[in-house]
């Protein structure tokens, strides 16, 4: 019982001063932690939170700007392709027009050369006919003068005409 009495006496022997000192020490410790550790720690956590938030916002802005630039580049590329196709189409049209012009010019030149050749052929033909007429006329006069100079019998006349006709045939 004695041991029980000691335990009860020790428990009954309450040291209030120690508890108060420990309580004040604990409160001072909490105040020191709050002032020197908790405040800077919370400030550092808040700064870090703002930094991360800003980085996320910046990344989102960059992503949106990149998407916008991508769309602009796609639009410019599409416009460039359209412009290039229009240039190709215009070049084809101009080439077709030039080809038609060249073909028309060539046809006109060919027609002009053909007409010039026909005119020259006609002129040469007329010259040849005129020359033949002159030769026939001169030969006729020659035959007539020779016939008049000689009085020939019918057989001699036929021979003379035949000789002159052969002579005219050889001259051609």
């Amino acid at each position: 019982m004695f041991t029980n009495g000691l335990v009860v006496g020790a428990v009954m022997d309450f040291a209030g001063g120690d508890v108060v000192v420990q309580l004040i020490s604990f409160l001072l410790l909490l105040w020191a932690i709050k002032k020197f550790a908790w405040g800077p720690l919370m400030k550092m956590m808040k700064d870090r939170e703002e930094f991360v938030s800003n980085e996320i916002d910046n990344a989102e802005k960059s992503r949106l700007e990149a998407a916008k630039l991508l769309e602009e580049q796609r639009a410019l590329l599409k416009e460039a392709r359209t412009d290039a196709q229009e240039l190709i189409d215009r070049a084809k049209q101009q080439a077709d027009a030039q080809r038609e012009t060249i073909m028309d010019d060539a046809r006109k030149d060919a027609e002009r050369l053909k007409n010039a050749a026909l005119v020259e052929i006609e002129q040469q033909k007329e010259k040849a006919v005129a020359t033949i007429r002159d030769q026939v006329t001169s030969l006729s006069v020659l035959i007539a003068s020779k016939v008049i100079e000689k009085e020939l019998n019918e057989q001699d006349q036929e021979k003379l005409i035949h000789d002159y006709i052969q002579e005219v045939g050889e001259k051609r």
Side-chain angles (χ1 to χ4, degrees):
M1 282 235 150
F2 178 67
T3 32
N4 279 346
L6 281 178
V7 173
V8 172
V11 171
M12 291 307 239
D13 187 19
F14 180 66
D18 286 342
V19 171
V20 170
V21 168
Q22 284 180 355
L23 183 60
I24 290 175
S25 295
F26 181 71
L27 289 175
L28 282 175
L29 180 65
L30 281 179
W31 174 81
I33 288 176
K34 182 177 177 191
K35 178 163 176 111
F36 297 110
W38 189 257
L41 181 64
M42 291 309 286
K43 183 181 180 309
M44 191 170 58
M45 293 297 277
K46 179 126 174 101
D47 290 346
R48 179 72 179 155
E49 180 183 351
E50 288 176 3
F51 176 77
V52 169
S53 176
N54 287 339
E55 289 297 313
I56 290 172
D57 290 345
N58 288 339
E60 183 64 22
K61 286 178 187 175
S62 295
R63 187 188 66 76
L64 291 174
E65 187 175 327
K68 180 181 174 186
L69 288 174
L70 179 63
E71 286 301 315
E72 288 176 3
Q73 291 300 319
R74 285 181 180 164
L76 288 173
L77 182 61
K78 185 177 180 181
E79 184 179 335
R81 285 181 180 159
T82 303
D83 290 346
Q85 188 61 43
E86 287 175 5
L87 285 174
I88 290 169
D89 291 343
R90 272 188 265 152
K92 284 181 182 178
Q93 289 173 352
Q94 288 176 347
D96 289 343
Q98 281 183 332
R99 182 182 48 131
E100 288 299 320
T101 302
I102 291 169
M103 293 294 286
D104 288 343
D105 290 346
R107 284 186 196 112
K108 288 176 184 175
D109 287 346
E111 188 66 29
R112 182 181 51 78
L113 290 173
K114 178 181 162 189
N115 289 338
L118 289 174
V119 166
E120 188 175 336
I121 289 170
E122 190 62 34
Q123 289 173 350
Q124 293 296 325
K125 180 180 166 186
E126 288 175 10
K127 282 182 184 179
V129 169
T131 305
I132 290 173
R133 279 187 193 148
D134 288 343
Q135 287 178 356
V136 168
T137 303
S138 64
L139 286 175
S140 296
V141 169
L142 183 63
I143 290 174
S145 67
K146 288 202 180 189
V147 168
I148 292 174
E149 283 178 10
K150 290 187 190 177
E151 289 266 339
L152 299 173
N153 63 17
E154 192 176 318
Q155 191 179 22
D156 288 338
Q157 279 183 344
E158 282 182 25
K159 186 176 187 269
L160 183 64
I161 291 172
H162 183 51
D163 288 343
Y164 285 127
I165 289 175
Q166 280 184 339
E167 188 178 318
V168 170
E170 288 175 6
K171 286 186 179 180
R172 282 215 249 160

